[in-house]
Every structure is written in C-alpha cells, then in structure tokens.
Amino acid sequence: MATDNDYERFRTRLDARREDLRALIASAHEQARPVELDQTRVGRLSRMNALQDQAMARETERRRRLELLRVDTALKRFADGEYGYCLVCEEDIPVKRLEFDPAITVCVDCAGR
C-alpha cells in the first residue's frame, strides 16, 4: 500500500516528466519539418538521409505525445482521487510497479491478461 509520501513523489515525477516532454516536443518541431527536394543543392543520398531523419523525428514526436497523454491522464487520476488503482480490477497497483512507471494504469495481473 502506497503512503502519502509515495503518492507525492509520484506526482512530482509525473509533473517533471510532463514538463520535459513538452519541452522536447517544442524543440523537436524543426527536425520534423518537410524535406526540401531541390536536387541542385542536395544529392539523392543526402535527400534520402534527410527523409529518414524526418521520419524518425516524426515517430519520436508521436511517441512523446503518447507518453505526454499517459502522464496527463495519470495526473488527472490524481485530481480525481483515483490514482494508484487498476483501471481493470480496481485493486491497488503495487508501489514497486508505480515506482517503475508512475503513469501505469493497470496492475501486473491485469496487464498479463
């Protein structure tokens, strides 16, 4: 069973992660911009490399936005007084599991199903 100190520590970690993700998403916007297709300035391999970099940047941004959504949802559960309970079976999520990922939404048993 988690204590109030545990929950406050998880909330602090979630707040910090949210701010980190927001900053990363904002700074990565330049990397995901469209690739210039001017063949006179850039060779074919350079363009292919730029397209690959762009695709990787977009995927990274998508994953960061997904994680930000998970963190925001966990913080909303804090506000609603529902944090730390499994969304499937409504039992307490063990502290060790929340320490691993404070944004987790299900207990080990329900995650294994």
Side-chain angles (χ1 to χ4, degrees), residues 8-61:
E8 189 56 38
R9 192 179 65 226
F10 298 145
R11 183 186 197 100
T12 301
R13 283 180 57 195
L14 288 166
D15 283 332
R17 185 62 183 152
R18 177 173 56 183
E19 293 309 311
D20 289 346
L21 287 167
R22 286 179 176 171
L24 287 169
I25 289 169
S27 69
H29 182 70
E30 180 67 20
Q31 292 176 334
R33 74 183 192 291
V35 174
E36 187 177 313
L37 295 177
D38 182 5
Q39 290 183 350
T40 61
R41 291 181 31 190
V42 179
R44 184 181 343 154
L45 292 177
S46 295
R47 278 194 321 280
M48 289 173 56
N49 189 36
L51 288 168
Q52 182 180 19
D53 289 347
Q54 177 194 40
M56 289 174 25
R58 284 184 176 168
E59 177 60 18
T60 299
E61 182 178 358

Side-chain angles (χ1 to χ4, degrees), residues 93-108:
I93 297 174
V95 174
K96 291 280 188 190
R97 186 161 172 83
L98 291 171
E99 285 175 357
F100 178 73
D101 182 3
I104 203 78
T105 59
V106 294
C107 67
V108 175

Side-chain angles (χ1 to χ4, degrees), residues 41-101:
R41 291 181 31 190
V42 179
R44 184 181 343 154
L45 292 177
S46 295
R47 278 194 321 280
M48 289 173 56
N49 189 36
L51 288 168
Q52 182 180 19
D53 289 347
Q54 177 194 40
M56 289 174 25
R58 284 184 176 168
E59 177 60 18
T60 299
E61 182 178 358
R62 185 192 70 79
R63 288 177 187 221
R64 286 177 178 156
R65 288 185 185 280
L66 182 60
E67 185 178 356
L68 180 60
L69 179 63
R70 289 180 61 242
V71 168
D72 285 342
T73 301
L75 289 169
K76 183 178 181 326
R77 287 195 316 270
F78 260 110
D80 295 342
E82 298 173 357
Y83 182 80
Y85 297 102
C86 177
L87 293 180
V88 177
C89 69
E90 299 180 358
E91 295 293 323
D92 287 341
I93 297 174
V95 174
K96 291 280 188 190
R97 186 161 172 83
L98 291 171
E99 285 175 357
F100 178 73
D101 182 3

